[in-house]
Amino acid sequence: MTQRTTGQRFRQRKLSTRQNLPVLREHEVEKISDDDAARHMPKVESGVDKGEEAEHHLQAVISASHAAAVGGKIAQLYIPTPETIQSTLEYERLYPRQFKQPSTYIRFSSTVEDCIGCPYCMTADDEVFLKSMNQKKPESQRCSEDQFEEVMYFFEETSAAKQPFAAVDNPPVVSYEEMESSFDETISDSCRRFALEIYEHWKNQRVLKGNRALMPALKFETNVETDDNDPYVCFRRREVRQTRKTRGRDAQVIEKLKKMRRDLEDARQILHVCKQREYLGRENLANNRKLFEQRILLRDARRENGIKEDDDLLVDQKPAPKPKTKPDQTNLQRQMSGTAKAQVARMDGRPPDSDLVSLEEVTEKKQEDIHKFMEDLASKHRNWNKDWRDETWRPLTPPPQEQAPRSSFRAATTYTLPTPPPSIASEGSGEPMDVDEPTPKILNKGSVTAQYASPPLEAPVESQRSYRRRIARGGRLVIDRRDMKRPFQEDADERVLDRYKYDRESSEDDEVYPYDPYDNAHIRFRVLSGSPDQSRSAQQQAQMRRGVAEASMANGALHPNHARMQGSPPQQSSQ
Amino acid sequence: MAPREASHEPDSTPVPVERGYATLATLRIGVKVFVEKDGEKRKAEILSIQQRKGKPTFYVHYDEFNKRLDEWVSAERLDLSREVEWPAPEKPPKSKTTSAQSKSQPAQTSTSKSQKSSLKRQRSSKLDRDVSATPESVVSNVPSKAARPSKAGGKENREEIAIIATEVGDDSTPKPEDDEMDLVDVQDAAAAAKAAPPEIYSREDELEKLRTSGSMTQNQTEISRVRNLDRVQMGRHEIEPWYFSPYPIEFSDADMVYICEFCLCYFAEMKQFERHRRKCTLLHPPGNEIYRDEYVSFFEVDGRRQRTWCRNLCLLSKLFLDHKTLYFDVDPFLFYCMTTRDEHGCHLVGYFSKEKESAEGYNVACILTLPQYQRKGFGRLLIAFSYELSKRENKLGSPEKPLSDLGLLGYRAYWQETIVDLLMDGRTDANIEELGAATAMTTNDVLHTLQNLNMLRYSRNQHVIVLTDAVIEQRERQRQKEKAKGAHRIEPEKLSWKPPVFAASARTWNW
């Protein structure tokens, strides 16, 4: 048995603090000798200073309580402490009964300084002096203890302010003249009249104390080396507390610093590039001016010599940068004008860097791909439907309406005039300069008889502004205008969209779905459909049509952006 | 007491203690002599000698007794018929500083004046103390009574250097055993506790630790000082201080120091105190009341906002707490002050301070029941309240170490009661961590308590918690006593408190 227990000792598991341990009564456990039990347990320190743990009285009490825990009966012991006795002081006089407990918990933030009045408290010596001083005076002119203290406190404070290092360099006691000169609001008028008399007393007291402060004060640090071990120096300031250093915090800090460094570097780069740009701009300006001056010379020379050729030398051949237009229009125009136009889009007129892939090229390539895909699809469909006739009556999704002959509407061709316009008329001026060639649009091209599962997302896109003249009722002459349409938003390259992301004012709330009420197809549909509100819609149309001639409001309302953007009237319209 | 022994302990090589007979004239500081104490003769070390009314009086520290029992004794109480132990012979100061520095700066051995400034942060600054600081503290005790042999002061100072030197040197050299032998017969348990060598702290480590957290010093030089105040008057009581407290130096001459019960301001003269009482309007600790029942109120006082009051409180409590240090200011602490109420106001009974943010997870820094209110169950309330706060914070807490002897007993009693109560609620199994969580006690403290009560045992191949008959009986007795006398408890629902939150800036800028 003994052997087993000894063996057990070595196999005993470590005590787990997380594990549930059975709670038993003493009779439920077999008796083990204390010695054995104690050996198994990890020792926990008492937390008392090692030097003091051995003290007689503590050990006596501990062993007594230990004996009690084990079952012995021992009278309760106390650690002896120096005695405390009832004071003979008249407590009631010193501490009057004036505390009334509020019903709520006390909230209090005044400091001791706020609560103790004048910090100077007179001593017995002061009292003797004050009595003798007051003896000579009539009742009414006597100095009260409060006044006396106020004056004394003022002297103490002023002295401390004037001689902050009195403890070190032993200056003479501050003179009365100096005191008088520093009278301020901290000493009331009623007290000032006693100042001179009290000063003598104060000075004597100071001299007795070696010009130290009369009220005993704590010793604070003076930043002298001896401070460190002076037991009376207390309540030192702590230096700024250091934050605990951990690896995580270090990494965090490094990341932050790195990011800041990057940001600053970026900002610097931007500024550098801006500066570069401005330099180049200046250079450009200077060159232009030079060019202009040279041209003047050239012109004069030509006039003198009567040379009539090479007029184009006198003007810039490429149009100067267009006046800034709203982004989506430029976008649109760029899309329409294709690569040839895009090539010259540099603002500074220099040839574009050909090796750079421009956004326009990318867009165009994308468009081409889509186009090609559509073509393929269309031809496939044509192949399928070859030799077949579509007999479907009213399919779920009607085939796209054949575009009505567009004879009535005519396109308005817009010329963008070069700025500045050629200063002198010449033979070559008749040529159209940089006319935007209307790019054929996918949907207008080829006759695809394929049917779609859902109506085409894309509304027919008008590439140009067009007008129609007609005779309305009553022989009125009406000009209908049809504005340009923007391609559907989904079509646009996300990079293009991103570029002008915040340039529009529209919010998501008032989304407008553009459609063209004057499209012949629409009109026909409205006329033919036997909808109950036929008459009303007809009326509306009439109104609208009337409105169109006078102002482009009807359209404007439907295309708010367009109306605003295309405010400038067409410069040329052909019938 | 270990530090005192250390003081006459040789530095590196064990030198036998020198014994011999002495006369009153040959007695000096550091001598160990038998002194009559409560009817028996105890060995005591002379810490200071003064001439009072033409007779020499001796400030003695009794071996194996807490320093609070140190006292001034007249020559009649010394037993010179027995041999005294002479302090170890002086060492040349150079070798001492060498050993003091040996840990950190082995190369730097010379401590000439010129080098002192560069060594400021090292231990050599202890020399400064020799030069200026200590004479002020000890010699100024008796500026008028100059009869004391001047050698004594210097002797003591040198003695203290020796302490430091041995403290540092100790960890490399084995503790001499012959000294231990004397003690064994005094108290077996004492010897057992002594077996572990005292932990060694360098002054710099200590200051750094105190700067960042904590309020307790481990440093022996810091705490082995002659008590400076004779008597203290506070409220209705006159109290005899236990330890040194850095009240203004002038006070060491005063027969009585008067302390205002409400603002804790201190005066050496009755007239001044009376005048102060006339003006003082404070009637309770200057903070917010966070707990109130029929018996006591608790006030929370922020060290930063109530600097003067908290400093006064610390000065007062230093009189009764040996290891408390006032080296640094009170800003990073909150003070929870327990008061009893009557028509005069809220009388401070005890308090505990708590770090605003404790790195070590302490829920109490210093804890004290004022001596005039001790042995009345207030300490238990203070401890219970500190755990109540920890429960609100959802934290486990433990008091800052080292505990004093009284502190240890107080805490042990509270822990025992709390845990035994919990275990006696009829449960059949318990988990140490859960016990801790339910009581806001750290696992270690739970373990400590169970072990101390011999409740943790190993039976049938597993650990078990045993509710011993003795523990149950003790608890029953206590309950009956409470029933008879009426016990006071902290009622959690009366605590109106949220853990204060301090901004990071407060932490950086000294709270």
Side-chain angles (χ1 to χ4, degrees):
Chain A
M1 185 65 200
T2 23
Q3 269 178 342
R4 224 177 245 176
T5 34
T6 343
Q8 217 175 39
R9 186 179 303 161
F10 295 105
R11 267 188 274 117
Q12 183 174 336
R13 274 172 296 167
K14 233 181 131 188
L15 174 65
S16 162
T17 55
R18 283 163 210 271
Q19 206 179 2
N20 271 355
L21 309 176
V23 176
L24 305 172
R25 294 292 164 110
E26 186 127 42
H27 56 84
E28 294 171 299
V29 216
E30 78 261 37
K31 272 271 180 222
I32 325 167
S33 67
D34 270 348
D35 193 36
D36 215 27
R39 212 192 305 267
H40 291 321
M41 300 306 163
K43 272 273 165 271
V44 179
E45 289 191 12
S46 70
V48 172
D49 186 85
K50 283 286 180 292
E52 288 167 18
E53 206 163 14
E55 276 171 14
H56 175 85
H57 294 111
L58 175 62
Q59 286 305 326
V61 175
I62 286 178
S63 51
S65 70
H66 188 74
V70 173
K73 289 232 162 81
I74 282 175
Q76 206 168 1
L77 287 176
Y78 290 109
I79 291 181
T81 54
E83 59 175 348
T84 300
I85 55 168
Q86 285 291 317
S87 173
T88 51
L89 242 56
E90 308 152 81
Y91 186 81
E92 294 288 335
R93 181 173 66 83
L94 286 167
Y95 298 91
R97 295 168 184 267
Q98 51 186 4
F99 178 65
K100 285 193 181 60
Q101 182 177 283
S103 57
T104 55
Y105 285 12
I106 294 167
R107 320 279 296 174
F108 193 83
S109 61
S110 304
T111 60
V112 171
E113 287 80 1
D114 299 335
C115 298
I116 58 169
C118 177
Y120 185 86
C121 295
M122 62 193 295
T123 61
D125 287 347
D126 293 337
E127 196 181 14
V128 172
F129 166 79
L130 187 63
K131 266 197 186 130
S132 69
M133 182 181 127
N134 278 338
Q135 248 172 8
K136 299 171 263 173
K137 291 190 182 3
E139 192 84 26
S140 58
Q141 286 175 25
R142 283 192 181 162
C143 178
S144 72
E145 292 188 328
D146 289 327
Q147 286 170 323
F148 176 82
E149 282 177 352
E150 192 178 333
V151 175
M152 289 292 272
Y153 181 63
F154 173 78
F155 288 154
E156 286 289 291
E157 284 293 285
T158 313
S159 175
K162 296 222 180 230
Q163 303 175 338
F165 305 111
V168 184
D169 53 5
N170 287 318
V173 178
V174 180
S175 70
Y176 182 71
E177 286 69 39
E178 268 186 272
M179 287 291 179
E180 203 169 22
S181 65
S182 46
F183 275 170
D184 54 17
E185 70 282 355
T186 55
I187 178 167
S188 63
D189 286 331
S190 60
C191 297
R192 287 186 196 189
R193 57 203 163 102
F194 303 114
L196 185 57
E197 273 175 287
I198 295 170
Y199 175 78
E200 282 309 313
H201 172 71
W202 176 78
K203 190 181 168 186
N204 290 338
Q205 294 289 319
R206 287 290 279 213
V207 168
L208 277 177
K209 291 222 173 193
N211 202 12
R212 301 289 164 89
L214 297 182
M215 292 291 283
L218 297 177
K219 246 180 137 173
F220 295 113
E221 59 192 331
T222 49
N223 291 321
V224 188
E225 262 182 55
T226 53
D227 272 0
D228 242 12
N229 291 296
D230 186 341
Y232 283 95
V233 175
C234 48
F235 304 125
R236 292 164 177 83
R237 269 168 304 149
R238 282 173 169 84
E239 300 98 83
V240 170
R241 192 185 171 101
Q242 274 171 347
T243 44
R244 217 165 292 280
K245 271 190 183 149
T246 62
R247 198 170 292 196
R249 197 189 293 268
D250 280 352
Q252 247 179 13
V253 168
I254 286 173
E255 273 312 302
K256 270 185 197 160
L257 285 173
K258 271 187 187 162
K259 188 175 180 298
M260 195 158 90
R261 163 98 213 180
R262 270 201 308 274
D263 289 353
L264 286 172
E265 190 57 45
D266 287 351
R268 198 187 70 86
Q269 204 59 42
I270 288 171
L271 286 176
H272 178 72
V273 173
C274 283
K275 195 174 130 191
Q276 217 67 37
R277 184 190 66 198
E278 294 309 313
Y279 276 134
L280 289 174
R282 192 176 66 182
E283 210 174 292
N284 185 34
L285 216 58
N287 283 340
N288 278 345
R289 190 188 164 85
K290 218 179 197 172
L291 178 66
F292 178 68
E293 280 161 0
Q294 292 298 325
R295 273 181 183 158
I296 291 174
L297 289 180
L298 177 64
R299 188 196 62 185
D300 292 346
R302 286 201 327 168
R303 280 200 186 146
E304 271 170 34
N305 299 324
I307 301 167
K308 294 254 165 168
E309 289 132 35
D310 293 340
D311 259 354
D312 50 343
L313 286 177
L314 292 175
V315 286
D316 288 341
Q317 286 313 297
K318 301 296 170 192
K322 289 175 192 172
K324 274 228 164 171
T325 46
K326 281 287 173 179
D328 25 8
Q329 197 185 351
T330 357
N331 173 24
L332 187 74
Q333 289 190 340
R334 284 219 184 118
Q335 268 189 351
M336 292 187 300
S337 56
T339 341
K341 182 87 189 302
Q343 289 284 328
V344 294
R346 292 293 292 246
M347 297 296 257
D348 46 9
R350 287 181 301 164
D353 313 56
S354 48
D355 50 339
L356 276 180
V357 185
S358 70
L359 179 58
E360 284 75 21
E361 281 169 41
V362 174
T363 326
E364 204 192 4
K365 189 157 182 299
K366 201 170 147 194
Q367 291 282 356
E368 223 161 77
D369 283 347
I370 295 172
H371 194 157
K372 194 157 167 266
F373 178 72
M374 296 289 280
E375 281 295 278
D376 283 356
L377 225 63
S379 65
K380 221 193 267 176
H381 256 277
R382 270 196 294 272
N383 266 347
W384 281 345
N385 295 341
K386 215 174 170 187
D387 305 327
W388 291 88
R389 247 177 84 198
D390 188 4
E391 287 283 278
T392 326
W393 183 73
R394 275 199 188 175
L396 274 174
T397 38
Q401 291 276 357
E402 272 299 307
Q403 289 284 321
R406 318 181 81 233
S407 56
S408 52
F409 274 94
R410 293 188 195 188
T413 323
T414 314
Y415 290 89
T416 312
L417 291 176
T419 41
S423 46
I424 37 166
S426 61
E427 287 102 316
S429 65
E431 287 167 13
M433 302 171 84
D434 274 306
V435 178
D436 290 348
E437 284 299 332
T439 322
K441 282 288 151 188
I442 304 158
L443 279 182
N444 296 345
K445 212 180 156 193
S447 61
V448 183
T449 48
Q451 292 190 3
Y452 297 93
S454 58
L457 277 171
E458 257 175 284
V461 173
E462 297 295 328
S463 55
Q464 264 183 316
R465 196 177 289 213
S466 52
Y467 295 88
R468 167 173 75 177
R469 195 182 65 167
R470 61 187 169 83
I471 310 291
R473 270 172 298 181
R476 288 178 302 144
L477 183 69
V478 174
I479 294 175
D480 291 341
R481 190 185 74 184
R482 180 186 279 169
D483 268 347
M484 275 189 283
K485 301 250 174 54
R486 291 183 300 154
F488 221 69
Q489 286 297 324
E490 279 93 333
D491 254 6
D493 190 285
E494 72 263 26
R495 274 179 287 183
V496 180
L497 281 178
D498 188 56
R499 185 185 281 181
Y500 306 115
K501 197 166 178 182
Y502 300 109
D503 279 6
R504 246 165 296 131
E505 290 169 294
S506 68
S507 67
E508 283 169 28
D509 296 333
D510 45 20
E511 182 115 15
V512 174
Y513 301 94
Y515 77 100
D516 182 8
Y518 303 109
D519 187 6
N520 281 353
H522 277 276
I523 293 172
R524 199 181 308 149
F525 175 72
R526 280 198 299 268
V527 169
L528 292 179
S529 67
S531 64
D533 55 354
Q534 191 185 1
S535 56
R536 208 183 69 195
S537 64
Q539 234 176 351
Q540 271 175 350
Q541 280 168 40
Q543 270 176 4
M544 281 171 180
R545 237 171 264 136
R546 231 175 288 136
V548 164
E550 286 126 40
S552 59
M553 279 311 292
N555 251 341
L558 289 163
H559 306 273
N561 294 327
H562 277 234
R564 231 168 291 143
M565 276 176 255
Q566 301 174 336
S568 56
Q571 286 169 340
Q572 200 183 340
S573 65
S574 59
Q575 268 209 318
Chain B
M1 202 171 130
R4 281 295 150 198
E5 273 125 43
S7 68
H8 72 92
E9 228 169 61
D11 213 351
S12 47
T13 49
V15 172
V17 179
E18 193 190 327
R19 291 168 203 271
Y21 291 99
T23 63
L24 272 188
T26 56
L27 283 177
R28 51 188 166 120
I29 284 169
V31 172
K32 288 195 176 183
V33 62
F34 280 85
V35 180
E36 190 210 313
K37 170 81 177 162
D38 300 330
E40 57 168 345
K41 303 263 199 254
R42 291 202 71 88
K43 191 161 70 174
E45 182 183 345
I46 298 174
L47 299 182
S48 178
I49 304 174
Q50 280 189 9
Q51 293 290 331
R52 287 190 176 176
K53 293 172 188 127
K55 286 179 183 170
T57 47
F58 304 88
Y59 191 78
V60 294
H61 167 76
Y62 299 100
D63 260 13
E64 301 293 310
F65 275 15
N66 189 281
K67 223 167 60 210
R68 70 172 77 87
L69 298 180
D70 291 3
E71 59 184 344
W72 290 100
V73 295
S74 60
E76 292 90 68
R77 282 176 61 185
L78 303 186
D79 183 4
L80 295 177
S81 63
R82 292 172 73 168
E83 284 185 327
V84 301
E85 289 175 14
W86 298 101
E90 269 176 53
K91 296 254 165 62
K94 190 176 171 182
S95 74
K96 274 164 200 156
T97 11
T98 311
S99 77
Q101 286 179 355
S102 59
K103 259 208 309 198
S104 54
Q105 295 225 328
Q108 214 161 4
T109 49
S110 101
T111 47
S112 63
K113 273 275 177 198
S114 61
Q115 270 187 315
K116 237 186 219 174
S117 55
S118 72
L119 290 174
K120 190 188 164 200
R121 282 279 124 213
Q122 274 107 49
R123 255 163 246 105
S124 70
S125 59
K126 293 288 178 273
L127 282 179
D128 294 347
R129 167 155 218 281
D130 187 21
V131 176
S132 69
T134 322
E136 254 180 320
S137 66
V138 181
V139 177
S140 69
N141 261 350
V142 277
S144 51
K145 310 152 196 165
R148 188 173 111 199
S150 60
K151 202 190 165 206
K155 174 69 193 143
E156 190 202 351
N157 296 330
R158 278 194 290 278
E159 193 58 45
E160 293 209 284
I161 302 170
I163 297 171
I164 301 150
T166 43
E167 263 188 317
V168 179
D170 240 330
D171 58 353
S172 58
T173 53
K175 222 172 175 228
E177 286 303 312
D178 59 339
D179 207 43
E180 302 270 80
M181 301 321 286
D182 287 341
L183 311 168
V184 174
D185 54 346
V186 179
Q187 181 86 46
D188 276 4
K194 244 181 151 46
E199 218 170 320
I200 283 94
Y201 272 84
S202 80
R203 177 85 169 139
E204 282 67 43
D205 290 348
E206 163 113 64
L207 287 185
E208 182 54 29
K209 187 175 170 291
L210 286 173
R211 194 177 66 76
T212 49
S213 72
S215 60
M216 293 294 188
T217 179
Q218 328 280 335
N219 196 295
Q220 288 303 333
T221 54
E222 194 58 35
I223 56 181
S224 50
R225 296 191 189 291
V226 176
R227 196 156 51 217
N228 57 335
L229 301 192
D230 269 354
R231 290 193 85 72
V232 166
Q233 200 284 336
M234 186 183 172
R236 297 176 194 271
H237 307 273
E238 267 178 37
I239 312 151
E240 202 174 302
W242 299 359
Y243 307 107
F244 172 88
S245 178
Y247 277 103
I249 297 173
E250 295 87 338
F251 283 18
S252 41
D253 292 333
D255 295 329
M256 179 87 83
V257 171
Y258 300 89
I259 293 175
C260 173
E261 209 186 354
F262 297 124
C263 71
L264 309 180
C265 288
Y266 34 85
F267 303 90
E269 214 179 279
M270 182 60 197
K271 174 67 191 172
Q272 285 190 307
F273 177 56
E274 272 178 47
R275 280 295 303 161
H276 165 77
R277 279 305 308 152
R278 198 75 60 77
K279 292 181 283 186
C280 181
T281 58
L282 214 54
L283 294 172
H284 51 77
N288 293 338
E289 195 179 12
I290 56 170
Y291 176 87
R292 178 193 289 179
D293 61 23
E294 294 72 42
Y295 190 47
V296 293
S297 281
F298 272 91
F299 289 82
E300 181 184 60
V301 187
D302 184 335
R304 186 174 180 76
R305 296 190 186 184
Q306 297 288 348
R307 208 168 273 166
T308 308
W309 196 85
C310 293
R311 281 173 174 176
N312 290 349
L313 179 62
C314 284
L315 284 169
L316 174 67
S317 66
K318 180 69 189 79
L319 290 173
F320 312 107
L321 295 173
D322 199 4
H323 281 270
K324 182 177 178 58
T325 174
L326 306 185
Y327 193 89
F328 285 119
D329 213 342
V330 291
D331 294 26
F333 295 94
L334 289 166
F335 296 81
Y336 295 93
C337 307
M338 185 167 72
T339 62
T340 55
R341 299 176 305 262
D342 64 16
E343 290 164 301
H344 299 283
C346 296
H347 310 277
L348 183 70
V349 164
Y351 85 102
F352 64 88
S353 57
K354 178 172 179 163
E355 281 178 272
K356 289 171 181 174
E357 195 183 73
S358 170
E360 321 266 341
Y362 294 135
N363 66 349
V364 162
C366 293
I367 183 163
L368 172 76
T369 309
L370 291 174
Q372 61 267 40
Y373 296 103
Q374 283 174 4
R375 293 190 201 164
K376 292 187 172 71
F378 286 114
R380 201 203 154 278
L381 280 182
L382 276 173
I383 294 171
F385 191 79
S386 76
Y387 279 107
E388 215 51 63
L389 294 188
S390 288
K391 284 179 198 165
R392 280 283 162 95
E393 291 176 307
N394 283 322
K395 284 180 185 165
L396 304 184
S398 187
E400 189 180 329
K401 312 295 178 309
L403 289 170
S404 68
D405 46 359
L406 292 167
L408 177 71
L409 296 183
Y411 266 100
R412 278 194 178 170
Y414 173 81
W415 289 338
Q416 172 177 353
E417 186 188 319
T418 314
I419 286 182
V420 170
D421 270 356
L422 213 58
L423 289 175
M424 280 174 71
D425 64 359
R427 61 180 75 198
T428 55
D429 55 4
N431 166 328
I432 290 177
E433 294 214 335
E434 273 171 21
L435 287 177
T439 54
M441 282 167 63
T442 58
T443 314
N444 215 31
D445 287 342
V446 177
L447 216 53
H448 174 105
T449 308
L450 290 176
Q451 230 174 305
N452 197 45
L453 294 171
N454 195 21
M455 288 170 71
L456 206 54
R457 299 206 196 154
Y458 198 72
S459 162
R460 296 191 195 93
N461 274 326
Q462 61 171 344
H463 289 278
V464 294
I465 296 173
V466 183
L467 272 172
T468 60
D469 298 340
V471 161
I472 293 171
E473 191 192 334
Q474 231 178 331
R475 186 76 194 107
E476 288 305 326
R477 236 183 307 152
Q478 204 177 353
R479 282 212 180 115
Q480 272 165 15
K481 212 162 113 190
E482 278 174 11
K483 232 181 243 172
K485 281 186 174 177
H488 300 287
R489 311 216 150 255
I490 297 295
E491 297 161 61
E493 66 277 4
K494 289 184 175 166
L495 171 63
S496 149
W497 184 75
K498 265 187 216 146
V501 181
F502 297 93
S505 60
R507 216 165 295 139
T508 311
W509 300 105
N510 298 333
W511 302 98

